[in-house]
Amino acid sequence: MKPLMLQGHQRAITQIKYNREGDLIFSSAKDSKPCVWYSLNGERLGTFNGHIGAVWCVDVDWMTTRLITGAGDMNTFLWDVETGTALGKIPCNSSVRTCNFSFSGNQASYSTDRAMNHPCELFVIDVRNIDASISSADPVLKLTMNEQQSKITSMLWGALDETVITGHENGSIRIWDLRAVKELNSVNDHTASITDMQMSSDGTMFVSSSKDCTAKLFDSDTLMLLKTFKTERPVNSACISPLLEHVALGGGQDAMEVTTTSTQAGKFDSRFFHLVYEEEFARVKGHFGPINSMAFHPDGKSFATGGEDGFVRIQVFDSSYYDHTFE
C-alpha cells in the first residue's frame, strides 16, 4: 500500500493528532499554521491562521468541535474546528509547549516553558463557553514547577479528569491531583528528556518516549513501569495500537545532527514493537528526517507520522500485518 503524503507545511511537523472518529488529522508545525486534513485521502481541509510563531502543540476535543494550539509566540489559541475561526486567545509569559483537552472536553490544560525569568507553569482552564474574555480570565488552576522538577515537555490527562500526568526535561514523569493541587507521585525511569507521551485507547496505561533511546510503558494510575522498548537512537514519539498489542516508535537523531542521509540509511524508520514481548518485528521507511510525532488511527488499521521534513505520511497496513503472530 502506497502511503499518502500530506504536503502543506513549509517547516518541520511538531505534532499530529487524529480526532476521535479518525476521519480528520490535525497537524502543527514550525510554520505557524496548524492544518486539518482528511485522513482517508489526504486532502487538506484548511488551516487555522492566527499564530505568528512555531506551533508546538495541538489537540482536538472529543466532539471535534474545538481545537487548542500553543505556540512559540507565547499564545494559546482556541479554535472552532468547523469554521477555523479563533474563539479565544490566551497570552502567556513564555512559549507554550504542551496543550490538551480533558476527556470530558470541559477543561483544557497547557504548560509554558521556563524562560526570561518566568518559571515553567501548568494551567488548567475552563473551556465550556469560550469567548474573547478568556484572554483575561483567571485559570481554574495554576501549578508552578520548581528547579528540580524541570520543564514540562509533554502532558496527558489522567482518569476521570482528576489528574494530569506530566513528562519533564530531566526524564521524570509526575502525576498531579488537580483537586488537592498536589503531586501524587513521580518516577525517574527515563534518564533523558521525555519527548512524547500517549495513552492507550482504554486509558489504563501510557507509553512515553525519550531522548535516552527508549520508550517505556507505564500504568497510568500508579506510574508503575511495565515495559521498556530499546532502540539505538533518540525516540521522538511513541504510540500504542488500539487494535493489536503493538507499540510504534519514531525518531532519528536530533534535527541539528542530521546530515544529508538517504531514506535507505534506515535512521528515520517507524519501528513496531510487540507490547508484551518487547521485540521489534517491523520497520517502515519513508521520511527524509527524524520523525517528530506519530499516531495510530483510532481503528488501528493505519498510522500517521509527521517528520522534520515537513511531510505527514499516512500508511495503511497490509493484510499481512494482521496475520503476523509471535512464535
Side-chain angles (χ1 to χ4, degrees), residues 50-89:
H51 281 295
I52 50 171
V55 184
W56 291 116
C57 52
V58 61
D59 193 32
V60 59
D61 72 350
W62 205 65
M63 304 281 288
T64 323
T65 50
R66 309 261 176 77
L67 189 77
I68 183 169
T69 55
D73 60 8
M74 309 199 274
N75 284 310
T76 302
F77 271 83
L78 288 141
W79 313 84
D80 183 339
V81 169
E82 192 180 355
T83 60
T85 50
L87 299 171
K89 168 181 169 183

Side-chain angles (χ1 to χ4, degrees), residues 273-284:
F273 284 79
H274 194 282
L275 182 80
V276 182
Y277 303 125
E278 306 180 4
E279 293 273 335
E280 185 181 348
F281 65 88
R283 290 190 183 191
V284 179

